[in-house]
Short mmCIF file of all heavy atoms in Angstrom, two decimals:
data_model
loop_
_atom_site.label_atom_id
_atom_site.label_comp_id
_atom_site.label_asym_id
_atom_site.label_seq_id
_atom_site.Cartn_x
_atom_site.Cartn_y
_atom_site.Cartn_z
N ARG A 220 -4.30 4.59 14.46
CA ARG A 220 -3.26 5.62 14.37
C ARG A 220 -2.01 5.21 15.15
O ARG A 220 -0.89 5.25 14.64
CB ARG A 220 -3.80 6.95 14.89
CG ARG A 220 -2.79 8.10 14.83
CD ARG A 220 -3.35 9.40 15.42
NE ARG A 220 -3.69 9.25 16.83
CZ ARG A 220 -4.95 9.23 17.31
NH1 ARG A 220 -5.98 9.36 16.51
NH2 ARG A 220 -5.16 9.08 18.61
N GLU A 221 -2.20 4.79 16.40
CA GLU A 221 -1.05 4.46 17.25
C GLU A 221 -0.38 3.16 16.83
O GLU A 221 0.84 3.05 16.87
CB GLU A 221 -1.47 4.42 18.72
CG GLU A 221 -1.88 5.78 19.25
CD GLU A 221 -0.81 6.85 19.10
OE1 GLU A 221 0.39 6.55 19.27
OE2 GLU A 221 -1.18 8.00 18.79
N GLU A 229 8.82 0.44 14.76
CA GLU A 229 9.50 -0.68 15.40
C GLU A 229 9.36 -2.00 14.66
O GLU A 229 10.11 -2.94 14.93
CB GLU A 229 8.95 -0.84 16.83
CG GLU A 229 9.14 0.41 17.68
CD GLU A 229 8.48 0.29 19.04
OE1 GLU A 229 8.39 -0.83 19.57
OE2 GLU A 229 8.04 1.33 19.56
N LEU A 236 0.68 -5.73 22.29
CA LEU A 236 -0.64 -5.13 22.47
C LEU A 236 -0.67 -4.14 23.63
O LEU A 236 -1.34 -3.11 23.56
CB LEU A 236 -1.70 -6.21 22.69
CG LEU A 236 -2.09 -7.03 21.46
CD1 LEU A 236 -3.15 -8.07 21.83
CD2 LEU A 236 -2.59 -6.14 20.35
N VAL A 245 -6.39 3.43 25.60
CA VAL A 245 -7.62 2.63 25.70
C VAL A 245 -7.28 1.34 26.45
O VAL A 245 -6.12 1.07 26.75
CB VAL A 245 -8.22 2.30 24.31
CG1 VAL A 245 -8.55 3.57 23.54
CG2 VAL A 245 -7.28 1.41 23.49
N ARG A 262 -3.79 -6.07 9.96
CA ARG A 262 -4.50 -6.18 8.67
C ARG A 262 -5.23 -4.87 8.35
O ARG A 262 -5.20 -4.39 7.22
CB ARG A 262 -5.47 -7.35 8.72
CG ARG A 262 -6.13 -7.69 7.41
CD ARG A 262 -7.04 -8.92 7.55
NE ARG A 262 -6.27 -10.13 7.82
CZ ARG A 262 -6.22 -10.75 9.01
NH1 ARG A 262 -6.91 -10.29 10.04
NH2 ARG A 262 -5.49 -11.83 9.16
N ALA A 273 -2.72 3.48 -3.12
CA ALA A 273 -3.55 3.35 -4.32
C ALA A 273 -4.18 4.68 -4.70
O ALA A 273 -4.26 5.01 -5.89
CB ALA A 273 -4.63 2.28 -4.10
N LYS A 275 -2.93 7.69 -4.07
CA LYS A 275 -1.87 8.54 -4.63
C LYS A 275 -1.56 8.15 -6.07
O LYS A 275 -1.36 9.02 -6.93
CB LYS A 275 -0.60 8.45 -3.77
CG LYS A 275 -0.73 9.14 -2.44
CD LYS A 275 0.51 8.97 -1.59
CE LYS A 275 0.32 9.62 -0.23
NZ LYS A 275 1.44 9.39 0.66
N GLN A 289 -0.65 8.42 -18.10
CA GLN A 289 -1.32 7.96 -16.87
C GLN A 289 -0.55 6.80 -16.25
O GLN A 289 -0.31 6.78 -15.04
CB GLN A 289 -2.75 7.54 -17.17
CG GLN A 289 -3.68 8.68 -17.49
CD GLN A 289 -5.06 8.23 -17.88
OE1 GLN A 289 -5.28 7.08 -18.28
NE2 GLN A 289 -6.02 9.14 -17.76
N MET A 291 2.62 6.02 -16.69
CA MET A 291 3.92 6.48 -16.20
C MET A 291 3.78 7.25 -14.89
O MET A 291 4.55 7.04 -13.95
CB MET A 291 4.60 7.35 -17.27
CG MET A 291 4.87 6.62 -18.58
SD MET A 291 5.95 5.18 -18.38
CE MET A 291 7.52 5.99 -18.27
N CYS A 294 2.97 4.82 -12.04
CA CYS A 294 4.14 4.03 -11.64
C CYS A 294 5.11 4.88 -10.81
O CYS A 294 5.64 4.41 -9.80
CB CYS A 294 4.85 3.46 -12.86
SG CYS A 294 3.94 2.13 -13.68
N SER A 300 5.80 6.70 -3.25
CA SER A 300 5.07 6.29 -2.03
C SER A 300 5.72 5.09 -1.37
O SER A 300 5.89 5.05 -0.16
CB SER A 300 3.62 5.95 -2.38
OG SER A 300 2.93 7.07 -2.83
N ALA A 302 8.71 4.12 -1.48
CA ALA A 302 10.05 4.37 -0.96
C ALA A 302 10.01 4.98 0.43
O ALA A 302 11.04 5.03 1.11
CB ALA A 302 10.82 5.29 -1.91
N ASP A 313 6.56 -6.20 6.46
CA ASP A 313 5.76 -6.91 7.45
C ASP A 313 4.48 -7.50 6.86
O ASP A 313 4.02 -8.54 7.31
CB ASP A 313 5.41 -6.00 8.63
CG ASP A 313 6.59 -5.77 9.56
OD1 ASP A 313 7.59 -6.51 9.44
OD2 ASP A 313 6.52 -4.87 10.41
N GLU A 328 -3.77 -7.03 -4.60
CA GLU A 328 -4.59 -7.11 -5.82
C GLU A 328 -5.78 -6.16 -5.71
O GLU A 328 -6.08 -5.42 -6.64
CB GLU A 328 -5.07 -8.55 -6.02
CG GLU A 328 -5.94 -8.76 -7.23
CD GLU A 328 -5.17 -8.78 -8.53
OE1 GLU A 328 -3.98 -9.14 -8.51
OE2 GLU A 328 -5.75 -8.41 -9.56
N HIS A 334 -5.73 -2.08 -10.64
CA HIS A 334 -5.66 -0.85 -11.43
C HIS A 334 -4.55 -0.92 -12.48
O HIS A 334 -4.72 -0.44 -13.60
CB HIS A 334 -5.44 0.36 -10.52
CG HIS A 334 -6.54 0.57 -9.54
ND1 HIS A 334 -7.82 0.90 -9.92
CD2 HIS A 334 -6.58 0.49 -8.19
CE1 HIS A 334 -8.59 1.01 -8.86
NE2 HIS A 334 -7.87 0.76 -7.80
N PRO A 352 -0.33 -11.10 -23.28
CA PRO A 352 -1.18 -11.41 -22.12
C PRO A 352 -0.91 -10.42 -20.99
O PRO A 352 0.24 -10.19 -20.61
CB PRO A 352 -0.76 -12.83 -21.74
CG PRO A 352 -0.07 -13.38 -22.94
CD PRO A 352 0.55 -12.21 -23.64
N THR A 357 1.28 -7.81 -15.72
CA THR A 357 0.91 -7.11 -14.48
C THR A 357 1.74 -7.63 -13.32
O THR A 357 2.27 -6.85 -12.52
CB THR A 357 -0.60 -7.30 -14.19
OG1 THR A 357 -1.35 -6.79 -15.28
CG2 THR A 357 -1.00 -6.60 -12.91
N GLY A 378 20.57 9.95 -5.31
CA GLY A 378 20.08 9.83 -6.68
C GLY A 378 19.37 8.53 -6.98
O GLY A 378 19.02 8.27 -8.14
N ALA A 385 14.51 6.12 -13.93
CA ALA A 385 15.06 6.04 -15.29
C ALA A 385 15.08 4.59 -15.78
O ALA A 385 14.75 4.32 -16.94
CB ALA A 385 16.46 6.65 -15.32
N ARG A 395 6.47 -0.70 -25.80
CA ARG A 395 5.84 0.01 -26.92
C ARG A 395 6.35 -0.55 -28.25
O ARG A 395 7.48 -1.01 -28.35
CB ARG A 395 6.13 1.50 -26.82
CG ARG A 395 5.63 2.09 -25.51
CD ARG A 395 5.71 3.56 -25.49
NE ARG A 395 4.52 4.09 -26.16
CZ ARG A 395 4.14 5.35 -26.11
NH1 ARG A 395 4.87 6.23 -25.45
NH2 ARG A 395 3.06 5.76 -26.73
N PRO A 396 5.49 -0.49 -29.27
CA PRO A 396 5.94 -0.95 -30.59
C PRO A 396 7.15 -0.12 -31.06
O PRO A 396 7.26 1.05 -30.73
CB PRO A 396 4.74 -0.68 -31.49
CG PRO A 396 3.57 -0.54 -30.58
CD PRO A 396 4.12 -0.01 -29.27
#
Side-chain angles (χ1 to χ4, degrees):
R220 181 183 61 250
E221 294 303 322
E229 301 174 30
L236 287 180
V245 301
R262 188 177 293 106
K275 288 177 183 175
Q289 289 176 340
M291 299 300 282
C294 288
S300 295
D313 285 347
E328 179 76 28
H334 299 295
T357 301
R395 301 189 83 167

